[in-house]
Amino acid sequence: MRFVPLTRITRTAMRRAYQGAVAVSVLAIAPLTWAWIGSENHRVVADTPGWLSRVPASGTALVLGAGLFAGQPSPMLARRLDIAEGLYRAGKVKALLLSGDNSRKDYDEPSAMRDYLLAKGVPDAVIVRDYAGFDTWDSCVRARDVFGADDVTVVTQAFHLPRAVTLCRTAGLRTFGVGDDSTRQWAAATYVSAAREFVASAKALGDVVLGAEPVFPGPRETSLMRAQAGG
């Protein structure tokens, strides 16, 4: 039997372990890279110099849900709604499509979002609720297939923006994104959520590759078209 020096075995094992680690790292960041490249030049962070002038006019602000606290929009969701209100008042969008989770009777994210905007004086006639926006991909596909949108300004936090914009663009929507830099107010929560983007981006890429259908794919509605016309 041929004798193989232990040092050679160790070096070979270390080399393979290193190569494996590199491969895992590449696979881990690939979905994030896909999201960043796919959204490049199609997103801006709110409240940065000249940000509003960079936002193109579109028919709809697609506001993605971000949770409720005691039936009210979470701080991050409230910030998304504030940005959407600003876009509407600046004439950048005609209607607001509020996409969130209403999977059970005691949890109605889109209605809480609407009530928040109504309290700020946004007309009810320009607000549309999507009760089945269970994830970002579902929200983008339903905006296209259920509500008939062809262009959107998606509003979310900055850490989520590349994935949201890329998914909506992949779904065939002309998309620009506006994000909130939540690190200024909620740094810890933002970093935790941003870390989850590794997994979320991998799922998103899988949804695209597999052509995943929304949990509830239809039926078609005309509510958004009426809202864009002012009710």
Side-chain angles (χ1 to χ4, degrees):
M1 182 175 67
R2 182 184 176 190
F3 174 74
V4 179
L6 181 60
T7 54
R8 182 176 175 184
I9 295 175
T10 302
R11 288 175 181 172
T12 299
M14 290 180 63
R15 183 172 64 251
R16 289 177 178 172
Y18 173 76
Q19 291 170 340
V22 170
V24 169
S25 298
V26 170
L27 289 174
I29 67 173
L32 282 177
T33 303
W34 163 74
W36 275 85
I37 292 175
S39 62
E40 191 68 25
N41 300 321
H42 297 283
R43 50 183 160 85
V44 68
V45 176
D47 298 329
T48 55
W51 75 274
L52 190 58
S53 65
R54 293 177 57 193
V55 181
S58 70
T60 305
L62 174 60
V63 188
L64 304 175
L68 303 178
F69 291 162
Q72 301 298 316
S74 67
M76 286 190 182
L77 180 52
R79 181 65 187 129
R80 297 181 189 189
L81 294 166
D82 291 340
I83 292 171
E85 178 203 3
L87 292 171
Y88 170 72
R89 297 198 186 283
K92 293 291 186 175
V93 298
K94 298 177 182 178
L96 308 177
L97 178 57
L98 313 179
S99 185
D101 184 351
N102 182 213
S103 56
R104 60 182 194 271
K105 186 178 296 185
D106 61 341
Y107 190 85
D108 188 347
E109 206 172 13
S111 292
M113 295 162 73
R114 180 203 61 180
D115 292 345
Y116 181 92
L117 289 169
L118 291 178
K120 293 173 69 66
V122 176
D124 191 31
V126 303
I127 297 174
V128 177
R129 288 170 287 176
D130 176 9
Y131 296 101
F134 299 131
D135 63 18
T136 306
W137 179 242
D138 279 21
S139 294
C140 294
V141 173
R142 283 177 56 82
R144 180 196 68 197
D145 292 346
V146 176
F147 296 96
D150 53 20
D151 64 337
V152 298
T153 300
V154 62
V155 182
T156 183
Q157 263 67 47
F159 65 81
H160 178 212
L161 199 59
R163 176 164 60 93
V165 170
T166 297
L167 282 175
C168 282
R169 284 172 53 79
T170 302
L173 298 169
R174 295 192 303 275
T175 307
F176 195 86
V178 180
D180 168 52
D181 180 10
S182 50
T183 58
R184 291 177 293 184
Q185 293 180 282
W186 310 288
T190 297
Y191 294 138
V192 170
S193 297
R196 294 173 182 161
E197 284 297 302
F198 283 94
V199 175
S201 294
K203 178 187 179 300
L205 183 56
D207 286 341
V208 169
V209 171
L210 297 174
E213 288 286 327
V215 176
F216 293 106
R220 188 67 174 260
E221 296 186 16
T222 60
S223 53
L224 183 61
M225 301 299 104
R226 293 196 304 271
Q228 288 178 352

